[in-house]
C-alpha cells in the first residue's frame, strides 16, 4: 500500500469535497457537494430529473470538467492521478450509446483493452454469461433490443474488473427480468467487494438496493443517511383503528388528534411522528375510551421512502 | 503508456475501415485512375515533357499528395467525430488514457490507412506511366509525415465540427483548391511571375514540390524548406491537439 492510500480516510473509497459545476451558459448544476462513499457499500443517489446526478458521476469519471472542488478516489486525486482512478472505475451511462455496427464480443473486448487490461477471453465470457448475453456474443449491437443494449453497456463496464461501479439510472426503460438480473449481479459484485454507486429517481429502487442513500435536488445534496436511519428519522407512522361500529363523523372531543375517518365510517387513522418525544397514542386511546368508541383491531403503517423524499424535496425548495 | 488501450483504439478504427474496405480502397484508386486517363493520357499526349519527365509521370506525386491530404483528413475527422456524434466517446474519456495515447490510436489508424492507400495508388500509377523514385528514403519520409500531419489536422476538424457538413467544409473549400493550385498538374515555374509569387503562400506547393523531388529530383522550392514546413505543420497540429485534450475543448462539458 502506498502512503497515499494510508492517508485515505478510513472506510471512504471516494471523497468529494466542495464540488461545483457551472455549465457554459452559467447554469450551476452542482452547488458545492460534499460526500464520502464508503468502501464496499451500495450507495443510491436519489433525486428528480435535472438534480445533477449525472453531472456528479460524469465529473468523477472524467467525462465532465469540474468547475471547482476536489475528488479523491482510493487516495488518488481524480484530476492529477487520473490513471489509477479511472482504471478502477466502471461506468454504465444513462444514455444507450453503443457502437451499433460492432458485435457484442468485439465491443466488450475493446472496453477491456481501453482500460489497460490484457486480453482475458475467459473473463469476458463469464461477464457475458452472467448477463445472458452469451448467445448474442456474435450479434451486431444494432440488432439488439433496448434492454439488451443496456446489458451490453453493463458488460462493457464489468469487462475490466472495476473496484467501483457507477450505474446511472440503470433501470430506466428496462424490463422486469433485466431488473432482477441486474440487482442480482449488483449484490454479487458488492459481495465480492465492489463499491456501487447508482442513481435513480425511483424510490423503490433505492429502498430495495441501497445501504445508504443521498438525496440530491437542484445541485445540492440535502441528506445522506443509512437507509434504515433515514426511514426511522424521517418516518411517520400511521395507527389504523378498525372500529366495532360505524361512525358518521369524528366526535368533536377528538378533534385535537387530527383523525381521519374512512369513507365507510369503519376505520380511523391517526398519524404520528416516530421522532417526537410524545407520540400522542396514550392520550388518543384515553380519549377514545372516554367517548365510548371501541375498536376490533389496530395496525400501524410506516411511511415509505417515497413520502420521505417528497417531504425532503419540498423542504429544500 | 497504456499500450492495451492504444492497441484497442487502433484496432477498432482499422476494423471499421475493414468493414467498408471495398469502397474505402476502390474509390480513391478509381478517382486517381480517372485523373491519369483524363490528364495523363488525353491532355498529356499534347504536353511535352516537364523538366525532362513525361507529363503522366510528372503528375503522380501531386495526385498522391492530393490523395494523402483528403484521405487523412476525412478518415481522422470521421473517426473522432463519429463517437462524439453517437455518444460512445464517453468510454474513451472515462478510460485511463492520456491525450497522447488517444492521439496515437486515432491518428495512427488514420495515417496507416492513408499510407496503405498511397502505396496502392503508387502501384496503380506505375501501371499507367513509367516511374522511378530517385530518393526512396525521402519519398517514404514525406509519405509518412504528410499522412500523420494531415491525420492530426483531420482529428482537429473532427473535434471542432458540430455537424456532418462541417466535416466536409475544410477539405472541400480549402484543401482541394489548395492542392489543385499547388502544382499537382503543373510546375510553378510555368506560371507568370506574379502567380509564382502568390503560389508561394500556399503550403501545399511545398508539400508537392518536396514529394516530387523525392521521385524525379526536380523541385520548385528547396526540398529542405519543404521538409521544414512539413515538420512545422506537424508540430503545430500536435500542439493544437494537446491543447484540446488539456482543456477538454468541445469534448468535455
Ligand atoms: N452539457 C450541459 N450543458 C448545459 N447544461 C447541462 C449539461 N448537462 C446537464 N445540464 C443541466 O444540468 C442539470 C443537471 O443535469 P443532470 O446532471 O443530467 O441531472 P440528472 O442526472 O440528475 O437528471 C440539468 O438542469 C441539465 O439541464
Ligand atoms: Mg441523469
Amino acid at each position: 500500500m502506498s502512503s497515499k492510500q494510508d492517508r485515505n480516510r478510513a472506510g471512504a473509497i471516494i471523497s468529494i469535497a466542495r464540488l461545483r459545476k457551472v455549465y457554459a451558459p452559467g447554469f450551476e448544476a452542482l452547488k458545492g457537494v460534499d460526500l464520502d462513499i464508503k468502501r464496499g457499500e451500495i450507495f443510491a443517489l436519489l433525486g428528480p430529473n435535472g438534480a445533477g446526478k449525472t453531472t456528479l458521476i460524469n465529473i468523477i469519471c472524467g467525462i465532465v470538467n469540474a468547475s471547482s472542488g476536489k475528488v479523491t478516489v482510493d487516495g488518488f486525486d481524480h484530476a492529477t492521478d487520473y490513471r489509477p482512478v479511472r482504471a478502477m472505475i466502471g461506468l454504465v451511462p444513462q444514455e444507450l450509446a453503443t457502437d451499433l455496427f460492432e458485435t457484442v464480443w468485439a465491443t466488450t473486448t475493446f472496453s477491456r483493452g481501453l482500460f489497460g487490461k490484457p486480453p482475458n477471453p475467459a473473463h469476458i465470457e463469464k461477464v457475458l454469461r452472467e448477463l445472458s448475453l452469451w448467445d448474442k456474443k456474435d450479434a451486431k449491437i444494432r440488432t439488439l433490443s433496448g434492454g439488451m443494449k443496456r446489458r451490453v453497456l453493463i458488460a462493457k463496464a464489468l469487462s475490466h474488473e472495476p473496484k467501483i461501479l457507477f450505474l446511472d439510472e440503470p433501470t430506466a426503460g428496462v424490463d422486469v427480468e433485466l431488473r432482477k438480473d441486474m440487482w442480482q449481479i449488483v449484490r454479487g459484485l458488492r459481495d465480492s467487494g465492489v463499491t456501487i454507486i447508482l442513481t435513480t429517481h425511483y424510490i423503490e429502487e433505492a429502498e430495495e438496493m441501497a445501504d445508504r442513500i443521498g438525496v440530491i435536488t437542484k445541485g445540492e445534496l440535502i441528506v445522506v443517511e443509512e437507509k434504515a436511519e433515514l426511514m426511522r428519522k424521517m418516518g411517520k407512522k400511521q395507527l389504523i383503528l378498525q372500529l366495532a361500529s360505524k361512525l358518521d363523523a369524528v366526535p368533536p372531543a377528538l378533534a385535537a388528534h387530527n383523525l381521519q375517518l374512512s369513507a365507510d365510517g369503519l376505520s380511523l387513522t391517526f398519524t404520528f411522528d416516530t421522532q417526537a418525544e410524545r407520540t400522542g397514542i396514550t392520550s388518543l386511546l384515553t380519549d377514545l375510551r372516554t367517548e365510548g368508541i371501541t375498536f376490533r383491531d389496530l395496525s400501524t403503517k410506516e411511511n415509505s421512502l417515497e413520502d420521505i423524499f417528497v417531504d425532503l424535496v419540498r423542504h429544500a425548495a | 503508456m497504456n499500450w492495451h488501450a492504444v492497441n484497442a483504439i487502433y484496432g477498432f478504427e482499422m476494423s471499421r475501415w475493414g468493414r467498408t474496405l471495398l469502397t474505402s480502397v476502390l474509390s480513391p484508386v478509381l478517382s486517381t485512375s480517372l485523373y491519369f486517363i483524363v490528364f495523363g493520357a488525353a491532355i498529356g499526349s499534347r504536353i511535352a515533357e516537364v523538366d525532362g519527365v513525361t507529363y503522366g509521370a510528372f503528375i503522380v506525386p501531386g495526385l498522391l499528395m492530393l490523395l494523402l491530404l483528403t484521405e487523412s483528413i476525412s478518415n481522422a475527422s470521421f473517426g473522432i467525430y463519429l463517437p462524439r456524434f453517437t455518444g460512445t466517446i464517453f468510454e474513451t474519456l472515462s478510460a485511463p488514457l492520456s491525450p497522447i495515447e488517444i492521439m496515437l490510436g486515432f491518428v495512427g489508424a488514420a495515417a496507416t490507412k492513408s499510407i496503405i492507400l498511397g502505396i496502392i495508388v503508387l502501384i496503380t500509377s506505375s501501371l499507367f506511366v513509367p516511374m522511378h523514385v530517385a530518393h526512396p528514403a525521402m519519398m517514404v519520409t514525406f509519405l509518412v509525415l504528410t499522412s500523420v500531419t494531415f491525420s492530426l489536422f483531420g482529428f482537429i476538424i473532427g473535434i471542432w465540427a458540430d455537424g456532418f457538413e462541417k466535416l466536409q467544409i475544410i477539405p472541400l473549400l480549402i484543401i482541394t483548391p489548395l492542392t489543385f493550385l499547388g502544382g499537382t498538374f503543373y510546375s510553378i515555374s510555368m506560371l507568370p511571375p506574379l502567380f509564382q509569387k502568390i503560389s508561394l503562400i500556399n503550403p501545399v506547393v511545398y508539400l508537392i514540390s518536396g514529394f516530387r523531388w523525392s521521385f524525379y529530383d526536380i523541385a520548385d522550392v528547396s526540398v529542405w524548406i519543404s521538409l521544414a514546413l512539413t515538420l512545422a505543420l506537424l508540430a503545430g497540429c500536435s500542439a493544437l491537439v494537446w491543447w484540446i485534450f488539456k482543456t477538454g475543448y468541445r469534448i468535455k462539458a
Side-chain angles (χ1 to χ4, degrees):
Chain A
M1 256 204 196
S2 74
S3 60
K4 267 184 176 169
Q5 281 165 316
D6 292 338
R7 267 189 271 126
N8 186 20
R9 254 173 287 175
I13 192 164
I14 303 179
S15 290
I16 300 164
R18 300 176 308 283
L19 193 65
R20 282 180 71 245
K21 174 63 189 179
V22 181
Y23 280 112
F27 177 77
E28 194 174 12
L30 291 179
K31 301 170 182 166
V33 170
D34 292 288
L35 175 65
D36 275 4
I37 304 291
K38 293 179 188 166
R39 195 176 298 271
E41 73 174 338
I42 299 181
F43 186 89
L45 197 56
L46 182 63
N49 274 324
K53 305 182 294 294
T54 301
T55 302
L56 180 61
I57 286 189
N58 283 355
I59 289 175
I60 301 170
C61 294
I63 297 162
V64 168
N65 284 329
S67 303
S68 65
K70 193 172 164 64
V71 179
T72 316
V73 180
D74 212 4
F76 298 103
D77 184 280
H78 97 302
T80 52
D81 276 329
Y82 65 90
R83 266 187 214 271
V85 167
R86 295 189 197 164
M88 66 177 108
I89 293 179
L91 167 65
V92 181
Q94 182 175 356
E95 305 294 334
L96 281 178
T98 49
D99 289 303
L100 298 177
F101 300 98
E102 288 291 321
T103 65
V104 171
W105 178 266
T107 200
T108 315
T109 307
F110 169 79
S111 295
R112 187 177 168 88
L114 202 58
F115 279 76
K117 290 275 162 60
N120 184 348
H123 177 72
I124 304 287
E125 176 171 346
K126 176 173 155 274
V127 168
L128 292 183
R129 283 192 189 281
E130 272 176 1
L131 285 158
S132 313
L133 279 171
W134 184 245
D135 54 335
K136 296 273 184 199
K137 71 181 166 63
D138 297 317
K140 292 248 195 314
I141 297 171
R142 163 175 70 89
T143 65
L144 303 179
S145 67
M148 281 294 188
K149 285 188 185 126
R150 179 79 58 187
R151 285 175 199 254
V152 172
L153 285 173
I154 300 172
K156 281 163 76 74
L158 295 179
S159 68
H160 55 90
E161 302 160 72
K163 272 167 69 177
I164 302 169
L165 182 67
F166 285 96
L167 296 157
D168 197 357
E169 311 256 353
T171 53
V174 147
D175 51 275
V176 181
E177 196 186 344
L178 174 53
R179 239 179 98 141
K180 274 200 303 198
D181 283 6
M182 196 140 64
W183 292 155
Q184 204 172 341
I185 291 165
V186 165
R187 289 203 177 90
L189 286 168
R190 199 257 310 262
D191 292 344
S192 70
V194 177
T195 305
I196 292 144
I197 297 104
L198 60 95
T199 75
T200 179
H201 53 261
Y202 298 122
I203 288 123
E204 317 85 72
E205 222 157 80
E207 199 163 3
E208 188 183 342
M209 291 302 303
D211 300 316
R212 283 200 311 148
I213 293 172
V215 179
I216 185 171
T217 179
K218 300 203 175 97
E220 281 176 294
L221 206 51
I222 53 180
V223 69
V224 177
E225 201 66 85
E226 298 285 336
K227 180 176 64 186
E229 184 66 13
L230 183 67
M231 305 268 310
R232 195 185 67 73
K233 266 195 187 168
M234 304 303 298
K236 287 197 169 65
K237 269 192 169 179
Q238 293 182 320
L239 176 68
I240 299 147
L241 304 166
Q242 303 294 337
L243 303 179
S245 57
K246 194 165 177 286
L247 273 184
D248 292 327
V250 180
L254 297 176
H257 296 292
N258 272 325
L259 298 175
Q260 279 164 308
L261 184 65
S262 64
D264 61 9
L266 281 172
S267 72
L268 278 171
T269 303
F270 172 64
T271 307
F272 62 98
D273 197 332
T274 50
Q275 280 174 283
E277 205 123 296
R278 328 185 102 233
T279 57
I281 295 176
T282 318
S283 71
L284 171 70
L285 294 181
T286 313
D287 289 352
L288 282 172
R289 183 173 313 157
T290 317
E291 285 297 305
I293 298 170
T294 52
F295 46 90
R296 291 185 290 113
D297 195 9
L298 87 180
S299 57
T300 60
K301 203 177 103 200
E302 220 159 325
N303 255 12
S304 71
L305 197 49
E306 175 115 34
D307 305 318
I308 298 173
F309 177 67
V310 170
D311 255 18
L312 280 172
V313 173
R314 196 180 295 135
H315 272 287
Chain B
M1 276 304 256
N2 183 349
W3 286 113
H4 288 298
V6 175
N7 193 36
I9 296 175
Y10 185 89
F12 178 89
E13 283 298 296
M14 291 308 285
S15 81
R16 191 168 61 77
W17 194 56
R19 276 198 296 271
T20 54
L21 196 59
L22 203 63
T23 43
S24 319
V25 174
L26 210 59
S27 81
V29 170
L30 186 70
S31 61
T32 312
S33 302
L34 287 173
Y35 281 122
F36 274 117
I37 294 167
V38 173
F39 290 98
I43 297 174
S45 61
R46 292 164 186 260
I47 298 179
E49 296 185 338
V50 182
D51 295 334
V53 180
T54 65
Y55 187 69
F58 177 83
I59 64 174
V60 170
L63 284 178
L64 270 173
M65 203 42 89
L66 176 64
L67 175 85
L68 293 182
L69 300 193
T70 52
E71 286 294 321
S72 299
I73 290 175
S74 77
N75 276 319
S77 63
F78 198 71
I80 187 70
Y81 182 72
L82 200 62
R84 286 181 61 219
F85 178 75
T86 60
T88 55
I89 187 90
F90 86 87
E91 198 180 18
T92 310
L93 294 176
S94 70
L97 283 172
S98 73
I100 291 182
E101 288 151 357
I102 299 177
M103 209 158 90
L104 276 177
F106 278 104
V107 173
T112 306
K113 296 170 200 175
S114 296
I115 293 167
I116 293 174
L117 282 175
I119 292 169
I120 292 175
V121 169
L122 194 59
I123 293 168
T124 316
S125 313
S126 66
L127 303 176
F128 289 89
V129 290
M131 282 183 24
H132 70 279
V133 181
H135 309 281
M138 279 305 271
M139 195 278 275
V140 172
T141 304
F142 276 115
L143 179 72
V144 172
L145 279 182
T146 309
S147 300
V148 171
T149 302
F150 283 84
S151 295
L152 273 170
F153 187 57
F155 191 78
I156 294 164
I157 293 174
I159 284 172
W160 163 80
D162 49 15
F164 278 99
E165 68 284 0
K166 276 202 183 165
L167 283 183
Q168 310 286 348
I169 279 178
I170 291 188
L172 212 62
L173 294 187
I174 299 179
I175 300 301
T176 308
L178 285 185
T179 315
F180 275 81
L181 299 174
T184 301
F185 298 106
Y186 52 81
S187 163
I188 300 299
S189 60
M190 296 169 164
L191 297 173
L194 177 65
F195 285 100
Q196 287 193 30
K197 287 234 161 54
I198 293 174
S199 292
L200 290 179
I201 58 169
N202 176 0
V204 183
V205 165
Y206 298 83
L207 299 178
I208 294 177
S209 167
F211 203 37
R212 190 177 283 138
W213 175 86
S214 69
F215 281 80
Y216 309 124
D217 227 345
I218 51 172
D220 292 321
V221 292
S222 156
V223 65
W224 302 112
I225 295 179
S226 295
L227 190 62
L229 182 87
T230 312
L231 289 171
L233 287 176
L234 178 62
C237 289
S238 306
L240 205 49
V241 171
W242 181 258
W243 174 84
I244 283 171
F245 276 106
K246 204 170 151 49
T247 58
Y249 169 80
R250 294 236 182 175
I251 46 175
K252 286 191 192 187

